[in-house]
Amino acid sequence: MIPPRLARFLERVGPLYIGGAFEEAAGGERIEVLDPSTAEPIAQVARGGPEDAARAVRAARRALEGAWGRTSPDERGRLLFRLAEAIEAHAEELAALEALNVGKPIGEARMADVPLAAQHFRYFAGWPTKLTGEVLPVSLPGRHHVFTRREPVGVVAAITPWNFPLLIASWKLAPALAAGNAVVLKPSELTPLSALYLAELVEEVGFPAGAVNVVPGRGEDVGRALVADPGVDKVSFTGSVEVGQAILRQAAETMKRVTLELGGKSPNIVFEDADLERALKGSLFAAFFNQGEICAAGSRLFVPRKAAAEITERLVEEAKRIRLGPALAPGTQMGPLVSRSHLERVRAYIELGQKEGAELLVGGGPAPEAGPGFFLRPTIFRAEDRHAISREEVFGPVLAVLAFDDLEEVVRRANDTPYGLAAGIWTRDLSRALRVAEALGAGTVWVNGYYLLDAAGAWGGFRASGLGREMGRYALEHYTEVKTVWLNLG
Ligand code: NAD
């Protein structure tokens, strides 16, 4: 079931990628990487530490001062195009790798993770030749010619989570490289494999040494060292709110630029005039795609009180039909959670939901027939806003269904959260869709759809869900500094 090219990769994977070379960690230690479908080890990867982080930052700096810094915009674009094509040429191995390491169904990795990652590099490949400054019409007395330049920020530390390892790495690498930065990528210690596969592709397509470095390791070791390192100019982080806050505090010491993509508790609102078939399908997708391990999961489903019984009954029936199984098996619709400790965390939320009085309608328990891994059945609660499962990010397949009576009330309740990453609306009434989209405090609002993403879009959170934006031209603003040049013409 593991493609032969991938089997060969699993045999050789291990070393870190620093300055264009694959090397062991300074401490000589390794991290055991598991397959969550079986709970068995699949690879041993070098466990980077602070010394490796410092070495990677120095390699990135040398690249900026050397060959990478001298690369023309056209050549940067060409390298990014080549990387997009290499990802497509290795799509099957990468999809299998994400399934194997994260536990996501291979069909989803083929449909989403890998093509979207390739699209991201292709989109940003077009930008290096179009990044311009402008001439400013100043009014200062005298004669001046004033213009701006967009320059790379410098060395970027990209710190990523375990739920979309390849895709989220591409959200950071593509715009950072397009703008001429050098990057040190620190993948999650749970899922470092696709980042190391990508490092091989970076090497193969010919990026100058040090433009991209990959240092797996624990957040407390490599992540923290990168954020503290005065040689890092910017941190681009995706992960939990707590770690995001710690990074922001720590980055203040060296005045680093910081962008944060953090958690969410996204509302998904079905209005009474919605196309119910589409809304139900979309709401299940919103709650259970990627095992619900997704920052933008539509984990608070608001339904009209009058239709609540019918909607919940149909959701429960559909949830029972979702096929759980090993991530690499062709018919699997939902894989295991990423780790035993994460499974325990999600189960603790389910127990808390029951203790607080939410009504468990389906799921909640393990699925031993799916395999020996970290499986959890899709879970639906009839809940209230006060329950922890309706307020806190569970990051698993747990859906809270909440009844509402009118529009103003549902908008107020949807916005009653410290988060603001995404929201969904299902309605046929265009003016209602636009009014509610305007009223919701979220970085992205989807109308009659969910998880619609594109490299040309913009992605990021309001409030506790983050700082800054990824994707599209918005991302480039965070990977460049604006320099103003004044010429006094006398
Ligand atoms: P996490 O915050 O535990 O870890 C994220 C990364 O940070 C990992 O690589 C980890 O090793 C590293 N890290 C941990 N401590 C660190 C420290 N002190 N300094 C520097 N780096 C450190 O998150 P996770 O469990 O990997 O991922 C789940 C979280 O990510 C959820 O909260 C989810 O909502 C969020 N997420 C957000 C988005 C988005 O686009 N907004 C996308 C995916 C996931």
Side-chain angles (χ1 to χ4, degrees):
M1 216 166 348
I2 297 180
R5 273 208 290 195
L6 185 55
R8 288 198 290 279
F9 171 76
L10 289 174
E11 277 163 25
R12 72 174 175 271
V13 70
L16 318 169
Y17 181 60
I18 297 179
F22 289 90
E23 299 172 1
E24 285 305 325
E29 286 181 70
R30 290 216 158 191
I31 307 171
E32 192 167 67
V33 182
L34 298 186
D35 168 2
S37 298
T38 60
E40 296 290 334
I42 40 173
Q44 309 272 338
V45 165
R47 174 172 162 179
E51 225 177 287
D52 304 296
R55 208 150 43 96
V57 172
R58 286 196 299 273
R61 180 67 55 195
R62 276 197 304 278
L64 281 176
E65 289 165 359
W68 176 240
R70 288 193 299 272
T71 306
S72 71
D74 183 58
E75 183 58 15
R76 283 209 303 277
R78 196 200 307 265
L79 287 164
L80 288 164
F81 269 123
R82 279 200 208 130
L83 188 54
E85 280 168 9
I87 289 171
E88 282 168 348
H90 292 252
E92 194 47 32
E93 292 77 31
L94 283 164
L97 200 51
E98 291 298 69
L100 193 62
N101 197 179
V102 182
K104 61 180 74 204
I106 187 163
E108 289 182 5
R110 281 188 190 122
M111 177 195 76
D113 301 60
V114 179
L116 286 175
Q119 190 223 5
H120 226 77
F121 283 106
R122 195 166 18 252
Y123 171 85
F124 280 101
W127 267 107
T129 48
K130 284 132 202 129
L131 264 180
T132 58
E134 55 189 347
V135 175
L136 305 180
V138 296
S139 305
L140 191 77
R143 290 181 61 211
H144 304 93
H145 178 72
V146 186
F147 64 95
T148 57
R149 290 165 48 82
R150 278 206 173 266
E151 299 185 355
V153 179
V155 174
V156 172
I159 303 178
T160 54
W162 46 259
N163 60 341
F164 287 87
L166 175 70
L167 186 56
I168 293 178
S170 76
W171 292 355
K172 301 185 184 311
L173 281 164
L177 295 169
N181 300 279
V183 183
V184 179
L185 170 64
K186 193 214 85 68
S188 164
E189 53 274 42
L190 295 175
T191 57
L193 299 181
S194 54
L196 289 168
Y197 201 102
L198 191 65
E200 292 190 357
L201 300 182
V202 162
E203 186 65 22
E204 182 185 305
V205 302
F207 276 87
V212 177
N213 307 273
V214 180
V215 187
R218 291 180 43 226
E220 285 297 315
D221 305 331
V222 179
R224 195 184 274 275
L226 287 172
V227 179
D229 195 320
V232 171
D233 301 288
K234 176 190 160 79
V235 178
S236 175
F237 172 78
T238 299
S240 60
V241 174
E242 301 72 51
V243 175
Q245 285 172 323
I247 287 176
L248 196 54
R249 273 193 294 270
Q250 202 192 344
E253 293 294 322
T254 43
M255 204 54 95
K256 287 182 175 47
R257 279 74 186 114
V258 177
T259 43
L260 303 172
E261 295 290 344
L262 309 176
K265 190 72 195 173
S266 299
N268 182 30
I269 310 171
V270 177
F271 287 101
E272 61 276 10
D273 69 327
D275 173 338
L276 203 56
E277 292 307 314
R278 275 177 79 189
L280 285 174
K281 226 169 140 211
S283 300
L284 283 163
F285 180 57
F288 297 136
F289 176 59
N290 209 54
Q291 297 73 242
E293 295 169 319
I294 189 159
C295 50
S299 53
R300 287 190 290 155
L301 177 63
F302 288 97
V303 298
R305 196 173 303 280
K306 276 182 247 151
E310 184 201 340
I311 292 178
T312 31
E313 197 179 311
R314 291 183 59 184
L315 286 170
V316 165
E317 283 316 305
E318 290 297 327
K320 283 184 191 157
R321 275 201 275 276
I322 294 175
R323 267 194 313 280
L324 274 78
L328 282 175
T332 292
Q333 292 173 319
M334 188 186 280
L337 300 194
V338 74
S339 68
R340 189 175 307 284
S341 69
H342 187 57
L343 172 66
E344 277 161 17
R345 182 179 173 275
V346 175
R347 293 196 67 177
Y349 266 113
I350 294 172
E351 276 167 33
L352 183 58
Q354 288 174 293
K355 212 184 297 165
E356 287 183 335
E359 190 185 342
L360 179 65
L361 301 174
V362 68
E369 75 287 359
F374 314 125
F375 291 93
L376 178 67
R377 291 193 190 288
T379 302
I380 301 180
F381 278 100
R382 185 176 294 130
E384 289 170 26
D385 294 2
R386 65 184 172 84
H387 297 139
I389 51 161
S390 313
R391 309 200 67 78
E392 296 173 24
E393 185 180 48
V394 176
F395 221 62
V398 179
L399 175 63
V401 182
L402 305 153
F404 72 89
D405 293 299
D406 65 64
L407 189 142
E408 277 69 33
E409 170 216 330
V410 76
V411 167
R412 182 180 43 74
R413 289 169 60 195
N415 283 338
D416 182 18
T417 167
Y419 294 111
L421 188 58
I425 306 170
W426 302 84
T427 179
R428 288 182 169 113
D429 178 339
L430 185 59
S431 93
R432 169 152 51 196
L434 291 176
R435 270 187 297 136
V436 176
E438 193 179 315
L440 290 173
T444 294
V445 180
W446 289 298
V447 180
N448 297 331
Y450 213 90
Y451 299 134
L452 306 168
L453 286 179
D454 189 278
W459 180 249
F462 284 20
R463 303 191 291 260
S465 290
L467 282 181
R469 292 291 176 272
E470 297 198 303
M471 303 188 194
R473 66 185 170 80
Y474 297 94
L476 290 164
E477 300 189 355
H478 297 289
Y479 287 103
T480 49
E481 290 280 14
V482 175
K483 180 183 282 173
T484 311
V485 181
W486 286 73
L487 275 76
N488 185 345
L489 304 179

